[in-house]
Amino acid sequence: MKVEGASAYGLPGDLEAVGVPVFQGPEGPQPASGVTADIAGADVPDVLDPVWCRRQGFTGKPGQTLVFHPVASATSRLPLLGAGGPGTDDRPRPSTVLVGLGEADALVGDQGLETLRRAAAAFVRTVGEGTAAALLLPRQLRLDVAAAAQAVAVGGALAGYRFETHKTGERPGRLARLVVTAEAPAEAVVAAGGAVRGARIAESVMLARDLVNEPPSRMTPQRFVEIFTRRFRDDPTMSVEVWDEHRIAEERLGGLLGVSRGSSQPPRMLRVEHTPPTPIEVDGRVPHLVLVGKGITFDSGGLSLKTPSGMETMKTDMAGAATVLCALDAAAALGSPMRITALTPLTENMPGGRATKPGDVLVARNGKTIEVLNTDAEGRLVLADALSLAAEAEPDAIIDVATLTGAVVVALGNEIAGLLANDDRLADDVSAAGSRAGERVWRLPLPEEYRSHIDSDVADMRNMGRAGQAGTIAAALLLAEFVGVVPWAHLDIAGTGRSSESTRYLAKGATGFGVRLLTDLATSETFARSLVRRG
Ligand code: BES
Ligand code: MN
Ligand code: ZN
């Protein structure tokens, strides 16, 4: 789906549907924008009959839609002023789709933006198939118009996502074009900018979804590396470095090597450096952010083998790697004020004859030793090396993203990611970005008292905590051993990386969770400045 902005007078002439925002008022549903829809040739009453609406089950609640279909032969009473121009009023008129936004007073702040994302998604799902549809922003928005249009674009574009690479035969049609419009011409220009930005962010989210949804035997470490090497090849702001299995051994990445031993696919370490063309400088230097993503292209559990059902979704275990690279992709396209490095350790976790065994001890990049008691706790082993490398670069902050623990699903479910950090301000910045972007996180503590949960009899630490106790925290406490003194935040997306149903702007399967949050941070000048002052 192509998503763009247009003024009310520049709407395409081949609109299938016009979405009219509707607030839930004390006297029933109230259209929040009308004139524009008339201009587009849609049929919009100035007032809605509350009794009739209620009979249709439409109250204007967020997420509700109600369609008016024009009579097939009916044509516009007004000359169409769209792309077709006046005189082309024999075109079929677009349907009107009332789109519920809830109470006008509630359409504020980050929650208001989320309401718009969901409303745009409901609109796109209601329209279904077609050439073009326009969604109007409400009049007198109490939100930043660009941010509102961005939210509509993101919600609309993502609701149109389907993974069909491996479907043959007839596929259901889709909406080809979504136009975001504001009624006032000056607002429409601002909205168009927001819509373009939202469409670009959605493109990177959908790339992440595609990579995660791809079958695991196709999305090997080597294939993953090739995709990004090609994608960034002609971009002079990106430099890509790939370490193969020999270099990984030379560089003493013992965690990554240990996990890869049971697989016939060789591991890779991918590093992408983004140097912005117009960076900001604070105290004479450019802020530097390192992103680290877990890239287990398939997690069988290794010798501590998972159950068949436990393995079904384990192609998702490279979602962290996909997320950080796709966020970097979007941030570079939209313009980032800071230097960003993405580091992704990539390997399968398999139980081959040379696999790491429970009881083995691995030596990570920073020299610390880890006793592997459960080969299924492999994410922390590959991240140990990647975080060590990240810390060696002495950046202003490190953020890692990983489908790390089943325990985070128990704690926070599928809607909220776990956030653990060694720095309160960084944690607050990540939380705030998540709230703005509509990707919620919730911080869990890193209590020193629980460090003993990962004490080992034979090595510096073991790779699992105590059965049934604070599994997400135990994993993060291990990661903390590898970031040194660098401000660091960890996002555990084991629950949020996949959706079990197609709902709102999610499709069943990969969600691309984290791309929007990280893109928000990576393009924020405020964040870039606070990175350096953190010191
Ligand atoms: N990749 C899994 C975590 C996971 C679980 C992701 C469910 C998505 C959905 C991770 O490698 C894992 O297996 N973790 C173990 C750790 C345990 C053995 C200490 C877990 O959480 O059970
Ligand atoms: Mn595992
Ligand atoms: Zn895993």
Side-chain angles (χ1 to χ4, degrees):
M1 183 197 305
K2 200 171 169 314
V3 183
E4 63 204 290
S7 84
Y9 300 94
L11 288 173
D14 57 352
L15 284 179
E16 217 84 34
V18 175
V20 178
V22 174
F23 286 129
Q24 213 174 353
E27 275 111 53
Q30 304 285 327
S33 178
V35 182
T36 316
D38 267 348
I39 291 166
D43 196 1
V44 186
D46 298 329
V47 285
L48 292 164
D49 178 353
V51 177
W52 181 80
C53 283
R54 202 175 320 120
R55 243 184 253 138
Q56 310 301 313
F58 182 84
T59 58
K61 269 203 203 131
Q64 287 184 343
T65 58
L66 180 61
V67 185
F68 298 43
H69 282 297
V71 184
S73 64
T75 52
S76 179
R77 9 178 194 122
L78 298 167
L80 282 175
L81 296 177
T88 54
D89 57 354
D90 54 345
R91 288 168 182 278
R93 290 160 63 181
S95 314
T96 300
V97 181
L98 302 182
V99 180
L101 293 180
E103 313 242 342
D105 290 348
L107 201 71
V108 291
D110 294 344
Q111 184 54 52
L113 293 177
E114 179 61 13
T115 300
L116 288 178
R117 278 181 213 105
R118 293 182 186 190
F123 175 63
V124 165
R125 288 186 192 277
T126 299
V127 174
E129 168 172 7
T131 50
L135 181 54
L136 313 178
L137 289 174
R139 266 181 261 135
Q140 287 158 3
L141 258 184
R142 286 153 64 193
L143 287 166
D144 179 73
V145 173
Q150 178 183 323
V152 166
V154 164
L158 293 183
Y161 174 82
R162 289 198 294 261
F163 182 66
E164 295 176 328
T165 313
H166 305 287
K167 294 263 192 198
T168 66
E170 203 64 14
R171 285 175 233 163
R174 15 169 112 231
L175 179 61
R177 192 168 166 205
L178 174 66
V179 187
V180 184
T181 313
E183 211 156 74
E187 283 194 350
V189 174
V190 177
V196 168
R197 184 181 161 89
R200 184 59 189 81
I201 294 169
E203 181 192 325
S204 290
V205 174
M206 292 187 284
L207 173 59
R209 289 183 181 180
D210 278 345
L211 298 177
V212 173
N213 283 331
E214 191 67 8
S217 293
R218 293 174 184 266
M219 193 49 59
T220 59
Q222 179 52 27
R223 170 86 191 289
F224 186 93
V225 156
E226 276 164 17
I227 287 169
F228 285 100
T229 305
R230 199 162 305 155
R231 189 167 178 92
F232 297 145
R233 189 172 44 204
D234 298 323
D235 184 339
T237 73
M238 299 283 202
S239 83
V240 176
E241 188 179 353
V242 180
W243 289 354
D244 65 8
E245 64 274 30
H246 309 293
R247 183 74 188 272
I248 287 169
E250 259 171 55
E251 299 282 354
R252 305 179 319 280
L253 305 188
L256 179 55
L257 271 182
V259 174
S260 71
R261 290 178 57 87
S263 167
S264 58
Q265 292 292 334
R268 295 289 183 263
M269 176 67 80
L270 172 62
R271 178 197 297 261
V272 182
E273 297 260 3
H274 172 63
T275 311
T278 54
I280 63 158
E281 276 189 22
V282 186
D283 300 338
R285 51 187 207 84
V286 177
H288 183 200
L289 172 67
V290 178
L291 302 175
V292 172
K294 172 178 173 182
I296 301 296
T297 59
F298 184 71
D299 182 11
S300 73
L303 286 172
S304 313
L305 198 64
K306 289 182 183 291
T307 60
S309 70
M311 242 181 259
E312 273 174 24
T313 59
M314 281 304 136
K315 64 176 181 181
T316 310
D317 219 18
M318 37 62 77
T323 294
V324 302
L325 286 161
C326 291
L328 181 59
D329 176 65
L334 296 170
S336 171
M338 68 197 89
R339 197 179 136 209
I340 309 170
T341 304
L343 272 169
T344 63
L346 298 152
T347 180
E348 291 182 339
N349 184 26
M350 297 288 282
R354 300 160 60 87
T356 292
K357 305 161 189 77
D360 277 344
V361 173
L362 305 177
V363 186
R365 165 77 181 188
N366 72 352
K368 291 194 183 181
T369 56
I370 312 171
E371 182 187 14
V372 179
L373 286 180
N374 189 318
T375 63
D376 197 11
E378 83 298 338
R380 60 201 81 181
L381 302 175
V382 304
L383 290 172
D385 288 332
L387 292 171
S388 300
L389 288 172
E392 281 171 31
E394 296 182 8
D396 296 296
I398 301 171
I399 303 175
D400 81 75
V401 185
T403 47
L404 204 60
T405 65
V408 84
V409 192
V410 177
L412 299 173
N414 288 120
E415 301 277 354
I416 304 168
L419 164 65
L420 300 100
N422 65 1
D423 183 282
D424 292 346
R425 285 177 53 202
L426 180 61
D428 288 347
D429 287 343
V430 169
S431 262
S435 172
R436 283 194 297 271
E439 293 182 320
R440 281 151 76 195
V441 305
W442 192 258
R443 191 173 177 190
L444 298 175
L446 282 173
E448 255 176 58
E449 291 83 350
Y450 294 1
R451 175 57 182 74
S452 61
H453 291 202
I454 56 168
D455 282 351
S456 162
D457 296 338
V458 299
D460 297 338
M461 65 200 92
R462 57 184 216 163
N463 76 332
M464 54 185 296
R466 294 188 191 160
Q469 283 189 48
T472 302
I473 292 172
L477 281 168
L478 186 143
L479 301 184
E481 297 281 327
F482 299 89
V483 296
V485 296
V486 182
W488 156 76
H490 157 65
L491 287 173
D492 193 333
I493 61 163
T496 51
R498 290 189 73 76
S499 176
S500 55
E501 46 176 349
S502 294
T503 173
R504 306 192 298 252
Y505 48 84
L506 298 177
K508 189 173 176 185
T511 58
F513 186 100
V515 174
R516 290 183 281 138
L517 182 159
L518 291 179
T519 303
D520 183 294
L521 275 183
T523 56
S524 161
E525 192 172 322
T526 313
F527 179 65
R529 291 190 186 285
S530 83
L531 269 182
V532 172
R533 298 228 180 86
R534 214 175 293 277

